[in-house]
Amino acid sequence: MRCYDGSRPQAKIQIATSKRGFTFLPRNRGCDTYLMRVRSPSSPLFKTMTTPSSEPTAQLTIPLLTPQDEAGTLSLVQHVARHADRLLVLGTTSEAPYLDVQRAIDQVGYVAQAVRTVISEPSERPIIQVGILSDDHERIRTITLESRLALLQYGFTEREIEFLIAPNYNMQEFDADEADARVSVVQEETQAPILLYEAPGHPISARMTPEYIRRHTTDTVGLKDSARSAEELLKLRAFLDNRFSI
């Protein structure tokens, strides 16, 4: 067994396997990084990830390319839907924030339709996550509301939908009150679970503070963090409720 960087581990590695068939090698004293191997019909996919638990569990979320047309979305979903626990739409930070609202909503509809086409059994479908990256309250409200309606129309339930909100998007200095206002807009339009999103690729976006994230462990279910280092995430993990997912 080797660490992700190729070195030999100095401590025993625990392995957890998800229902979707991938193995997960958590941090240990001999590895500075984490290895996840996804067993796909074609070739293995390797990624780094973290865990705070001595008995880790893992789930796989696959971000979908944005934008796609209807045919492109179906082709992409056919390749990945059966191997994912979640599919993230509108989560790309370089394109999704700049789509007009109708095209963003269309993307959600394309994914919902494609997943239903590929997987007919509801219990086998991945959860659909909708990313919301905007500082415009009306845009946040419209995408939340219309995405939810599109997914419900295609037969998804509230338990099969999640929203990722980047409350600090485009903030040069973190403003907790404004961040709260953006989260509240999403909460007003859906009963689906909400996750906070620390998005990469926007250096002008000030990070959410650990105190802010901890305060929202009561009304959100987790954090998708694409900006912090592994060491920072481990410190953050120790600061949060164990039921709050990272």
Side-chain angles (χ1 to χ4, degrees):
M1 195 78 68
R2 290 186 179 273
C3 302
Y4 190 81
D5 62 4
S7 61
R8 291 283 184 182
Q10 299 173 2
K12 182 179 179 181
I13 294 179
Q14 294 174 300
I15 298 177
T17 304
S18 84
K19 65 178 182 180
R20 299 287 178 179
F22 63 91
T23 57
F24 166 67
L25 311 185
R27 183 185 178 91
N28 61 84
R29 293 179 183 175
C31 294
D32 291 329
T33 53
Y34 314 82
L35 171 63
M36 183 173 67
R37 174 178 293 175
V38 182
R39 303 188 186 282
S40 68
S42 53
S43 61
L45 171 67
F46 296 87
K47 290 186 178 180
T48 57
M49 65 182 299
T50 63
T51 178
S53 172
S54 59
E55 297 180 357
T57 58
Q59 291 192 334
L60 177 63
T61 299
I62 297 180
L64 300 177
L65 297 174
T66 308
Q68 292 278 347
D69 59 16
E70 190 171 349
T73 301
L74 177 58
S75 177
L76 183 60
V77 168
Q78 285 174 329
H79 284 286
V80 301
R82 294 187 182 278
H83 310 291
D85 296 280
R86 287 166 173 78
L87 297 178
L88 171 58
V89 59
L90 303 181
T92 53
T93 56
S94 57
E95 300 102 348
Y98 306 108
L99 295 177
D100 64 63
V101 171
Q102 187 56 56
R103 193 168 186 191
I105 295 166
D106 288 345
Q107 296 293 305
V108 177
Y110 294 158
V111 171
Q113 183 178 20
V115 170
R116 280 206 55 179
T117 300
V118 173
I119 304 176
S120 58
E121 177 57 46
S123 63
E124 296 296 318
R125 292 194 302 234
I127 290 171
I128 304 299
Q129 291 185 331
V130 179
I132 301 176
L133 298 100
S134 179
D135 54 8
D136 182 326
H137 288 204
E138 279 310 304
R139 179 183 173 90
I140 293 171
R141 185 179 304 280
T142 302
I143 291 178
T144 303
L145 175 61
E146 296 297 332
S147 295
R148 173 181 174 272
L149 292 176
L151 288 163
L152 293 176
Q153 180 182 354
Y154 280 102
F156 288 81
T157 67
E158 296 276 6
R159 290 187 296 178
E160 297 175 285
I161 305 168
E162 294 177 350
F163 287 90
L164 273 71
I165 172 72
N168 55 334
Y169 182 80
N170 262 359
M171 286 185 184
Q172 294 188 11
E173 294 184 5
F174 184 69
D175 182 336
D177 291 336
E178 171 58 20
D180 283 345
R182 298 177 189 181
V183 173
S184 294
V185 171
V186 180
Q187 291 170 332
E188 290 168 5
E189 300 299 338
T190 182
Q191 296 298 312
I194 298 171
L195 293 87
L196 301 177
Y197 185 11
E198 189 78 88
H202 291 278
I204 65 171
S205 294
R207 290 184 185 176
M208 291 177 278
T209 64
E211 291 78 14
Y212 180 84
I213 296 170
R214 183 164 67 174
R215 180 156 59 82
H216 276 285
T217 57
T218 58
D219 61 358
T220 62
V221 299
L223 168 71
K224 172 179 167 57
D225 195 311
S226 302
R228 289 177 172 84
S229 68
E231 289 74 18
E232 290 174 313
L233 284 171
L234 286 173
K235 291 179 182 178
L236 182 62
R237 170 76 275 173
F239 190 64
L240 301 175
D241 189 312
N242 286 335
R243 293 170 295 180
F244 190 75
S245 299
I246 297 181

